[in-house]
Amino acid sequence: MLEGCPETSTGEVAYPIEVDYDYDRLEPGFLDGRGDGGLDRWASLLPPLHAPGLGEGRTPLVPIGRDVYIKDESQNPTWSHKDRLNRCAASAAVGAGARGIAVSSSGNHGASAAAYAARAGLDCIVLTATDTPPAVLEFMGAYGAHVFAAPDHARRPLLRAIVEHTGFHPVSSTTVTHTGHPFGVEGYKTIAYEIAADIGAPAAVYMPTGYGELLFGVWKGFTELHRLGLTDRVPELVACEPAAAGPLTAAIEQGLPAARVQPGPSDAYAITCAVGGYRATLAATSAGRSMRVSDKQMRAAQDQLRRQGLWVELSAAAGLAGLNAGAAPGGPVVCISTSSGFKDRPAGPRPGGATEDTWEGLQQRLVQAGVI
């Protein structure tokens, strides 16, 4: 299930598995706000929620101008949108009987996975970048996760080795192009549900885009609501990628299901990705478009949000940067801001630390830590 479709995937492209539902069984009043807090409100259109939640979701829509709203995902328990994904992904790990979860992350995903693993009573191994900000390293470790730095080229092979040798459940992609967790991405649908419950279907939604999991989840959520007759349209969805990378834009320009690029320097490290995935391409070509934004444009948007009382990391400002870069569509527009500003990389030198790029070295440290 986590390796992509065994029939359609190739050595160049991994096609993800997608969750389907019996939509005819959905009871009336889906958008009426019934149910417990967090994602439990939307449980009838989510995979089984075996893991306990932390009150994720129900983030505010903050108006910052005429018909412009910020969906502030920093109000989630670990201050990012990843909490929606990890409630569902940790539930899959619990349902599978795994002893722990493993994740490769530069920050938000790792911290969130660590929190939801702790909440579910699972161990957690986080492989992070060698230049992850010290505050984010401390944040990931605060939940008891075992955090290891590794060079970018080594993280996917190491994650595969961890899964193979420990039986931990992976909650990030191990495939040649990005697939992501089939249950985890379903959590992002709830952003669409919440927006629709608050203001209906907007004219457009702009969002930061790296691998494109958020883009796909929001697209699927609005597509479901329209299919069920709960909204009158699917909004235009605009994927906003760093100009230093942009694998989704490259895939669309080249007519590919997914593409690889060589990233340049960017401070928007959370969304500067070398590889894209088919999910993102499907969403962008079905109901929207993709665009690149520069660090300068993101910094201007970050400053704009700061003046509105919203402190966000640079990557989280990409959606507003995309809106500012072109003519706004008529009607309400939502820009998704994905995470808190404390996750930005600080200026100046960073403390060094031991890194791992082989399974043997990492295995020794895991044994020393008592993980395996």
Side-chain angles (χ1 to χ4, degrees):
M1 191 169 74
L2 299 170
E3 290 294 325
C5 175
E7 295 184 4
T8 59
S9 297
T10 69
E12 290 74 38
V13 179
Y15 288 96
I17 298 294
E18 184 182 351
V19 180
D20 198 9
Y21 302 84
D22 185 353
Y23 294 100
D24 292 336
R25 294 175 56 190
L26 186 69
E27 296 181 0
F30 179 69
L31 291 179
D32 292 346
R34 298 181 302 171
D36 298 328
L39 297 198
D40 300 87
R41 173 183 178 182
W42 313 111
S44 54
L45 282 184
L46 293 175
L49 295 175
H50 295 300
L54 289 165
E56 61 289 326
R58 293 188 174 182
T59 56
L61 269 181
V62 182
I64 63 165
R66 184 177 179 181
D67 280 343
V68 178
Y69 298 86
I70 301 298
K71 182 66 168 168
D72 184 11
E73 289 294 287
S74 74
Q75 299 300 307
N76 280 298
T78 72
W79 310 326
S80 90
H81 66 307
K82 294 292 185 179
D83 290 345
R84 299 178 188 264
L85 181 153
N86 279 300
R87 173 73 191 284
C88 294
S91 292
V94 171
R99 55 170 291 207
I101 62 178
V103 58
S104 174
S105 168
S106 60
N108 288 323
H109 191 16
S112 177
Y116 281 84
R119 177 73 168 148
L122 302 174
D123 285 331
C124 182
I125 299 172
V126 181
L127 295 174
T128 192
T130 55
D131 56 356
T132 297
V136 178
L137 287 173
E138 184 175 356
F139 189 28
M140 291 188 286
Y143 300 106
H146 305 277
V147 182
F148 302 95
D152 287 348
H153 73 271
R155 281 159 58 190
R156 285 195 181 211
L158 283 174
L159 185 62
R160 287 193 292 269
I162 289 170
V163 172
E164 178 183 350
H165 291 280
T166 69
F168 276 39
H169 188 85
V171 298
S172 52
S173 183
T174 63
T175 50
V176 61
T177 55
H178 194 80
T179 54
H181 196 290
F183 280 14
V185 72
E186 297 291 301
Y188 289 145
K189 298 190 307 183
T190 61
I191 294 176
Y193 302 160
E194 291 176 14
I195 292 171
D198 286 344
I199 61 170
V205 180
Y206 289 73
M207 66 197 82
T209 302
Y211 292 126
E213 297 285 271
L214 174 64
L215 172 69
F216 176 82
V218 173
W219 169 76
K220 185 174 180 180
F222 276 116
T223 300
E224 289 175 331
L225 295 177
H226 186 248
R227 170 180 177 170
L228 292 163
L230 298 175
T231 61
D232 61 354
R233 61 186 169 187
V234 175
E236 180 187 27
L237 303 176
V238 185
C240 303
E241 300 182 290
L248 172 57
T249 306
I252 294 172
E253 290 173 346
Q254 298 171 39
L256 299 173
R260 287 181 170 272
V261 297
Q262 181 61 50
S266 172
D267 288 330
Y269 71 96
I271 56 173
T272 302
C273 300
V275 61
Y278 175 70
R279 277 184 179 142
T281 307
L282 174 64
T285 54
S286 297
R289 56 191 172 92
S290 178
M291 63 184 297
R292 296 184 176 101
V293 292
S294 67
D295 278 26
K296 181 178 180 181
Q297 290 171 312
M298 286 186 277
R299 291 204 183 282
Q302 188 182 41
D303 288 340
Q304 181 181 348
L305 291 170
R306 185 181 294 117
R307 293 193 297 272
Q308 294 284 345
L310 298 171
W311 185 42
V312 309
E313 72 167 312
L314 187 64
S315 299
L320 181 58
L323 174 63
N324 291 341
V333 175
V334 174
C335 297
I336 299 176
S337 175
T338 46
S339 60
S340 163
F342 101 88
K343 297 171 183 177
D344 264 342
R345 286 177 173 153
R350 304 181 183 92
T355 64
E356 295 294 348
D357 58 5
T358 67
W359 165 246
E360 289 75 18
L362 179 59
Q363 183 181 36
Q364 182 177 357
R365 294 178 67 185
L366 289 171
V367 170
Q368 292 171 347
V371 182
I372 60 174

